[in-house]
Each structure stands twice: as C-alpha cells, then as structure tokens.
Amino acid sequence: MDNLVSPGVHTPDDARAEPAVRRKMRLLFEKTGPARLISHLDLMRTLQRAFARAELPLAFSEGFNPHPYLSIARPLSVGVESRYELLDFGLADAVDPDALPACLNCVLPAGVRVRRAYPASEGRKSFVDIAWAGYEIRLAWGRSAAHAADGLRALFAGGPLPVLKKSKRGEQTIDIAPLIRLFALTPEEEGLLCMDAVLAAGAASLNPSYVLEAIRRHAPALWPDRQSVLRVSLLDADGTLFV
C-alpha cells in the first residue's frame, strides 16, 4: 500500500526518495460566478499555479520542455458556468485524496471550488467515453414568461432545427435536433424559465450557444431579455453520470 503524505509536508527522506512515480488522479470541481469569465487556457494556468501554491507534487513530462499532466474534460466557452468540471492530472508522489479539496480550495480564486478528488486509474473511464452533457439554460423576460413556454416546447418538439455553425473549417448549416437528447422546461418564478437540456458532447458535440441560436433564428419573438447557461453533468453513452 502506498504511504500517503500530507500536501505541503516534506520529510527529511525527500532528498533520497525513490524516483517519482506518476499517479493518475481526477478532480470534480465547480466554475461559477466570476470564474465563468476565465478562459480554458487561463483556467489551466490557474489550476497549475494552485497546485504549486499548495505544494502538491504535480507530475511533469520529461524532455526539454516539460509540461504538467493536466487535462480538463469538455472545456466550456467563456461565460458558461459549471457545477460539473472534471480534471485529470498526474502526481509525482502519493497524496491523500481526501486532503486535496481543502488544500486546493485555500489557494483557488473565487468561483473555482474543488468538490472531490479520487484516483482516476482504478477502473475509471477515459474522457473519450463522455457522450452527453447536461445543462440548465435559464431564460428571463421582464414580464410573464407564459407567452414563451408553449412556443419553446413546440420549437424543441423534435422537428428539424437548422442553425449556422461556425468552425475552423468555415460555416455550415446543421440540424441540431439529433444532438438534443433531452429537453424539459420548468417555470421558476415570474418571467423566468429553466430549460433542462442534455446535449451531445462526444465526437459530434453541441455547444449550448446553438440552442440559444435556434431560438433567435426560428422564434425571434421568444428571445429572452437575459440568459445564462450552467453545466450540471457529464454522461456516458448510456446516460449514466460520468465520474
């Protein structure tokens, strides 16, 4: 059994320790509030610095340009909040997983909070097995939302939903309907609707911004005054929560 060490605590034997062995770990964390404006690359830098400040033995690749073993599942666009972010990383030494969340939360910026840490190599699936992502898309109007609920349900009832999709290869019109596994609409308060949506997140993926674009394009009269997007889950092909 591995001897676990507390983060930031070094022993006199460190100098003659055995060669570092990378251990694969996984973090479940949130990115909400002001942290929604942190880009993917800046988030990677923020997490790398957090490991350093917490004196956690992050593993690096070898060679002339070593880089840390860090990988975030299905990075989000700037402006999208998430309660379900997964990070795979390597450790050069054994650390008690139960100690990791508190250790990192002390040095992370507001809005980024680690919920859980656990080994990623004991029967855990790879990020390539993620097939779907769950979102809560909130739509707000300055008046009653009753006029919009029926129209949105009809819009997402399963018919074709062509939208213009932009990519590095240019623009093309795609039908996003087959990429929507679940759609449900719930009134939350006066003028506010919550759209629960499960969208493709595998080889063919659907950014939630295209769901909003479908409203803008096909039902402009229902366009809300404000909208926000929160990711709440990542799922495998069977719809089981990916952990």
Side-chain angles (χ1 to χ4, degrees):
M1 181 176 179
D2 292 326
N3 293 322
L4 302 183
V5 299
S6 298
V9 176
H10 300 281
T11 70
D13 293 335
D14 284 351
R16 57 179 185 278
E18 296 179 354
V21 177
R22 185 164 66 94
R23 291 168 171 80
K24 293 186 66 176
M25 300 288 292
R26 185 165 291 172
L27 281 187
L28 170 62
F29 68 101
E30 299 179 347
K31 185 171 77 79
T32 59
R36 74 188 187 284
L37 301 177
I38 301 176
S39 69
H40 172 61
L41 290 179
D42 284 340
L43 180 61
M44 294 291 280
R45 297 187 189 99
T46 298
L47 290 167
Q48 183 178 346
R49 290 168 183 157
F51 275 91
R53 293 179 63 191
E55 299 184 46
L56 291 167
L58 198 59
F60 282 72
S61 63
E62 298 179 351
F64 292 104
N65 185 27
H67 58 273
Y69 290 99
L70 291 175
S71 176
I72 291 180
R74 306 298 186 264
L76 290 169
S77 301
V78 172
V80 176
E81 296 182 286
S82 177
R83 288 202 303 262
Y84 209 89
E85 293 286 278
L86 293 176
L87 170 77
D88 274 0
F89 61 99
L91 287 176
D93 206 343
V95 174
D96 181 1
D98 293 336
L100 274 170
C103 192
L104 285 170
N105 286 337
C106 290
V107 295
L108 284 168
V112 181
R113 187 177 74 86
V114 176
R115 297 170 56 186
R116 183 185 168 205
Y118 46 95
S121 56
E122 298 177 358
R124 301 287 180 186
K125 293 182 178 179
S126 167
F127 287 166
V128 297
D129 294 313
I130 295 172
W132 303 94
Y135 295 91
E136 292 178 357
I137 303 173
R138 287 182 168 77
L139 310 172
W141 293 264
R143 60 191 186 285
S144 170
H147 71 289
D150 290 343
L152 290 173
R153 290 191 180 97
L155 179 63
F156 291 96
L161 278 174
V163 299
L164 187 64
K165 185 174 184 178
K166 300 178 181 178
S167 69
K168 294 179 180 178
R169 291 174 291 183
E171 298 181 345
Q172 61 175 330
T173 298
I174 64 167
D175 178 12
I176 67 170
L179 303 177
I180 302 175
R181 176 174 178 148
L182 172 71
F183 168 85
L185 208 56
T186 305
E188 291 198 329
E189 59 186 67
E190 183 71 11
L192 179 64
L193 293 175
C194 179
M195 179 189 299
D196 294 301
V198 175
L199 310 179
S205 63
L206 180 62
N207 189 307
S209 65
Y210 290 109
V211 174
L212 295 171
E213 178 59 26
I215 299 174
R216 186 196 301 273
R217 176 170 179 171
H218 300 288
L222 306 181
W223 183 247
D225 298 325
R226 302 184 307 280
Q227 62 277 335
S228 64
V229 181
L230 171 70
R231 185 160 73 188
V232 295
S233 63
L234 291 170
L235 311 168
D236 63 18
D238 297 328
T240 303
L241 189 67
F242 187 95
V243 293

